[in-house]
Amino acid sequence: MQPVILRGVNKTYHLDAVDVPALCDINLEIQPSRFTVISGPSGSGKTTLLNLIGCIDRPESGEIIVAGQPVQTLSDDALSDFRARHLGFIFQNFNLLPVLSAYENVEYPLLLTKVAPAERKKRVMALLDAVGLADRAQNRPGQLSGGQRQRVAIARALAPSPQIVLADEPTANLDSQTGAAIIALMRKMQRELHVSFVFSSHDPQVMAAADDAVMIRDGRITAIERHSEKLEAIA
């Protein structure tokens, strides 16, 4: 089963009396257990597309199926619960809670989904160990480097055992060496846990690491590259 399917998806933002088309006739299937990057220039629609896949926004028209669920049929409350159970998020600015320790930040999504305490502890410590931060479990974000904060964010995204992890420019605020290490870590976790990773990025390092690349411009998919095979999109 494809983790994400979009059929005929359109999105327009209505700003006062002005309509701003963001996405037009998007048809896309994200392949399972792969590293997929959505890339395009600023204003191309890549973040809007990521937000629709992540059930953060809703389309104007068309169909979106995520983890086997047609998401447009869900109420706002049901959609929020669906996100918490099936999706993980990694943000450009990390979005860690500054008053919580690394352990507590990773644990937080498990509290929302009411995972039992013993299972929470086991899962959090396993993930912190996997990202190389078991010895920093009690440190707060302010006591961690940028690369370490992003490692915590990766562990948090994976904590609820999601089927899909979405990342918006995950290396944008990191130097190239740290960014390369973060990409390698995400790649390792993706392969070990068989999770589908979907990024928006124009970082050449992320592009080089991707299994699939979705190229977008002016709200339209212009090409999809899979294993060096370039498939021109049908407009």
Side-chain angles (χ1 to χ4, degrees):
M1 180 183 69
Q2 315 297 50
V4 177
I5 300 172
L6 295 93
R7 298 188 181 115
V9 169
N10 297 278
K11 178 65 180 179
T12 299
Y13 290 107
H14 305 283
L15 306 175
D16 295 327
V18 180
D19 290 343
V20 181
L23 295 174
C24 182
D25 195 26
I26 297 295
N27 294 283
L28 176 64
E29 293 187 3
I30 301 295
Q31 303 299 310
S33 301
R34 289 170 75 81
F35 218 59
T36 301
V37 63
I38 300 168
S39 188
S42 178
S44 61
K46 59 183 183 294
T47 297
T48 299
L49 180 54
L50 197 73
N51 287 342
L52 291 178
I53 294 171
C55 306
I56 294 170
D57 205 351
R58 293 180 183 269
E60 207 84 19
S61 61
E63 182 180 29
I64 301 176
I65 302 171
V66 179
Q69 172 66 52
V71 295
Q72 67 271 19
T73 65
L74 299 177
S75 67
D76 288 345
D77 287 345
L79 200 60
S80 179
D81 184 65
F82 179 83
R83 278 197 306 269
R85 296 182 183 280
H86 296 280
L87 303 175
F89 295 89
I90 301 169
F91 300 96
Q92 178 178 328
N93 295 315
F94 318 130
N95 281 23
L96 300 177
L97 296 172
V99 298
L100 300 184
S101 67
Y103 181 100
E104 291 166 333
N105 267 284
V106 177
E107 181 186 39
Y108 187 69
L110 301 180
L111 293 171
L112 296 178
T113 52
K114 297 180 172 58
V115 175
E119 176 62 20
R120 285 203 310 268
K121 182 175 181 179
K122 176 183 175 183
R123 204 181 297 183
V124 171
M125 288 311 300
L127 283 167
L128 286 174
D129 184 57
V131 300
L133 289 176
D135 61 339
R136 298 297 188 109
Q138 299 309 314
N139 287 45
R140 292 184 178 181
Q143 299 169 309
L144 301 171
S145 69
Q148 289 171 331
R149 292 180 198 179
Q150 197 61 299
R151 287 172 181 266
V152 174
I154 292 167
R156 180 185 59 188
L158 293 167
S161 299
Q163 293 174 257
I164 305 156
V165 171
L166 300 148
D168 187 12
E169 301 280 3
T171 60
N173 288 336
L174 304 173
D175 62 73
S176 58
Q177 184 176 356
T178 303
I182 290 298
I183 293 166
L185 174 62
M186 289 190 289
R187 194 57 153 138
K188 174 177 177 287
M189 300 301 284
Q190 178 259 324
R191 285 172 173 157
E192 290 180 356
L193 300 176
H194 305 290
V195 179
S196 299
F197 272 69
V198 184
F199 303 85
S200 69
S201 181
H202 55 262
D203 183 343
Q205 293 185 107
V206 177
M207 296 288 292
D211 293 316
D212 301 329
V214 178
M215 314 307 294
I216 187 169
R217 179 179 290 273
D218 298 329
R220 293 179 179 271
I221 292 175
T222 58
I224 300 172
E225 300 174 11
R226 304 189 195 276
H227 285 308
S228 301
E229 178 187 6
K230 189 170 183 179
L231 306 175
E232 292 298 326
I234 299 175

